[in-house]
Amino acid sequence: MSQLTHDSSILIIGGGTWGCATALQLARQGYKKVTVLDAHAIPSPISAGNDVNKIMEEGVPSDDDDEESYVWNRLFQLATEAWRSDPVYSPFYHATGFVMAASSPEAGRHVESYIASCRTSSSPIRRLDTPEAFRATMAPGILTGDFPNWKGFVRPEGAGWVFARGALEAAHNEARRLGVRFVTGGPQGKVERLIYSGSDVLGAFTSDGVEHRADRTVLCAGAYSDRLFDFEKQLRPTAWTLAHIQMTDEERQTWKDLPVLFNVERGFFMEPTTGTGELKFVDEHPGYCNFIHDQSIDAERSVPLSRQQIPIDAEARARQFLRETVPQIADRPFTFARVCWDSDTPDRVFLIDQHPKYSRLVVAVGGSGMGFMTMPAVGIQVVNSLEGRMESRLKKAFRWRPETAVGRDWRDTQDRFGADGKVMDLQKVKGWTNVDNGSHASKI
């Protein structure tokens, strides 16, 4: 294998969150021949990062020697530095604070454990035990619900949200300005398969019949990655459901700069978007999979299904969340709804590593629901992996590790809560919403 230099050609498969972050980091470090392939123009309509907002949690320096705590805190530190000070990323971070809660004792213990791990510099984390306490976390007249059985905390600093689509577009635009070549949209950007030669990966074929050969290939196609490469059961494509409703101009002003409101069993929302004034909200659950029997491997697997609708059960849960918190808007028609995909590793830790068999291939997958908030840090780690200089504790955590997937339970909830406490199957949904010009078909 040739030595990596700034003149080496690097092919990135996937122009989503991690693909754009990696392309930007490579360009900033002086790599001159970087190409990104994606079947859609950026931002792709199926990219998880093409979203109005994502939750952001900051990291702070710590002496914690626990391996898992160290890895996540280190990653959050690097991400926080970028979200606060990098001119590409910082315009999109809103440090509004964070309300976290649960509605049952089991999930409450999860929240207690999370809060115990948080560190703040000045504003103390406060316990919330009553509906009145929850309502007081926002301006009068916003939270009018009864908050039945809610218990939790408010974290005034060290968290907030990111305008996801804006950050994704900014990383793409800056990478392109620095010389990265993006081949996107239609058959010219759609990867059909990898190019193998001997015992290595030399690039990818696209649907237009073109060979894209490179000295190194980075596979970071999100939930679709395991359709291009055998990850030995390390990836499970898993989907979540979101919807939008339209807010009035007066509400947009009143609801500005709200802390994130998140119940680990019910759902979450942030302030309305500055562009359209829509409020995005998510019903919380262990995830949907689209289970099929794959004849080629004679086994069950989850295959991403792109759809700008959500199951009617997800709508019911989303509206129940709104009724418990902001009942005055709970029955408004949806203006948008979407199934949003990610991929889970068995331990929900990222997989960022040079493949042990294919030395020219680096995989960067397994966002496991935490991929966007760490977007800038992931770009750094992918480049570190390419250059063989990733920090030892991070390298161990993010390593290629098929042993963790032996006998994997595809329906493992992976410490997530909500719905009926089970991973759900899109093949078995009762029906779908029909969002069309602000109307919906279901009567909930």
Side-chain angles (χ1 to χ4, degrees):
M1 183 177 66
S2 60
Q3 184 177 354
L4 190 68
T5 72
H6 285 173
D7 290 318
S8 299
S9 55
I10 300 175
L11 181 68
I12 299 173
I13 300 174
T17 301
W18 288 9
C20 284
T22 299
L24 174 59
Q25 188 65 23
L26 284 166
R28 283 176 160 179
Q29 292 187 202
Y31 289 90
K32 304 170 186 175
K33 300 177 182 178
V34 180
T35 299
V36 178
L37 301 176
D38 198 287
H40 300 274
I42 298 170
S44 164
I46 64 171
S47 169
N50 186 1
D51 196 358
V52 294
N53 47 41
K54 300 286 190 185
I55 295 173
M56 168 60 193
E57 302 169 42
E58 297 185 15
V60 297
S62 170
D63 295 327
D64 196 335
D65 289 330
D66 176 76
E67 287 295 323
E68 184 175 353
S69 297
Y70 174 84
V71 167
W72 285 117
N73 198 52
R74 178 63 178 143
L75 209 61
F76 286 141
Q77 284 181 56
L78 292 171
T80 299
E81 182 179 350
W83 290 123
R84 284 199 169 275
S85 61
D86 189 308
V88 170
Y89 294 110
S90 61
F92 306 103
Y93 176 40
H94 301 257
T96 58
F98 187 55
V99 176
M100 187 176 188
S103 301
S104 71
E106 180 187 5
R109 288 188 287 272
H110 172 83
V111 173
E112 293 267 2
S113 176
Y114 165 79
I115 291 297
S117 70
C118 295
R119 300 169 180 85
T120 58
S121 58
S122 56
S123 301
I125 295 173
R126 303 193 313 274
R127 185 179 292 272
L128 305 172
D129 288 321
T130 66
E132 293 77 16
F134 279 100
R135 294 183 199 123
T137 62
M138 298 187 188
I142 295 178
L143 300 179
T144 61
D146 293 334
F147 292 86
N149 301 314
W150 282 49
K151 304 291 181 183
F153 300 84
V154 57
R155 182 183 178 186
E157 63 173 32
W161 63 275
V162 173
F163 174 34
R165 185 182 303 121
L168 178 58
E169 290 176 333
H172 163 252
N173 291 338
E174 180 65 5
R176 187 171 59 179
R177 187 187 72 81
L178 293 174
V180 174
R181 176 173 171 253
F182 286 85
V183 181
T184 62
Q188 67 270 21
K190 183 179 180 182
V191 173
E192 291 290 341
R193 65 188 187 277
L194 301 182
I195 298 173
Y196 294 89
S197 179
S199 60
D200 226 325
V201 170
L202 302 184
F205 289 99
T206 46
S207 295
D208 58 354
V210 173
E211 290 188 3
H212 298 265
R213 290 181 175 256
D215 297 314
R216 300 290 188 279
T217 299
V218 179
L219 176 55
C220 54
Y224 292 82
S225 296
D226 80 337
R227 304 298 288 170
L228 297 172
F229 189 74
D230 181 10
F231 282 88
E232 302 180 53
K233 298 185 177 181
Q234 290 178 88
L235 295 186
R236 182 190 71 184
T238 311
W240 283 269
T241 40
L242 63 89
H244 298 178
I245 55 178
Q246 186 64 51
M247 307 295 283
T248 67
D249 290 342
E250 181 180 356
E251 287 168 338
R252 292 168 66 177
Q253 291 302 314
T254 305
W255 292 48
K256 185 174 174 54
D257 298 324
L258 300 185
V260 175
L261 178 67
F262 178 36
N263 182 307
V264 300
E265 296 171 276
R266 293 290 185 263
F268 64 84
F269 69 73
M270 289 153 260
E271 66 180 276
T273 66
T274 55
T276 64
E278 292 175 295
L279 181 76
K280 168 198 162 181
F281 47 96
V282 174
D283 64 305
E284 192 65 20
H285 50 73
Y288 282 96
C289 289
N290 184 40
F291 288 118
I292 66 166
H293 185 83
D294 190 327
Q295 299 286 352
S296 66
I297 58 174
D298 192 25
E300 183 182 57
R301 72 189 303 173
S302 176
V303 178
L305 168 69
S306 178
R307 192 156 186 172
Q308 289 195 351
Q309 307 290 345
I310 59 175
I312 57 174
D313 287 346
E315 178 178 355
R317 289 189 299 268
R319 293 193 183 280
Q320 181 60 35
F321 164 60
L322 295 179
R323 289 189 185 105
E324 293 185 6
T325 57
V326 286
Q328 69 272 26
I329 64 170
D331 293 319
R332 289 186 188 176
F334 289 173
T335 56
F336 179 78
R338 178 189 176 197
V339 174
C340 183
W341 289 91
D342 201 347
S343 57
D344 286 323
T345 61
D347 52 12
R348 291 185 63 188
V349 176
F350 301 159
L351 176 54
I352 303 172
D353 197 9
Q354 176 182 301
H355 192 274
K357 178 179 178 182
Y358 303 107
S359 58
R360 295 188 180 189
L361 175 68
V362 166
V363 295
V365 293
S368 302
M370 295 174 286
F372 195 92
M373 72 175 75
T374 54
M375 173 185 180
V378 167
I380 293 170
Q381 297 312 316
V382 176
V383 177
N384 286 348
S385 182
L386 279 164
E387 296 178 341
R389 58 183 183 87
M390 188 185 292
E391 184 181 335
S392 61
R393 295 166 91 174
L394 300 184
K395 180 176 176 58
K396 179 182 178 181
F398 300 152
R399 73 191 185 281
W400 179 264
R401 48 190 191 282
E403 68 278 4
T404 64
V406 174
R408 183 173 186 179
D409 177 6
W410 290 119
R411 289 164 175 77
D412 180 10
T413 62
Q414 298 198 282
D415 205 25
R416 296 186 177 107
F417 303 91
D420 294 325
K422 299 177 181 178
V423 171
M424 296 165 286
D425 189 348
L426 289 175
Q427 294 283 333
K428 299 178 181 179
V429 301
K430 299 175 183 177
W432 294 79
T433 61
N434 183 21
V435 180
D436 183 18
N437 296 320
S439 64
H440 61 96
S442 52
K443 303 296 184 182
I444 298 174

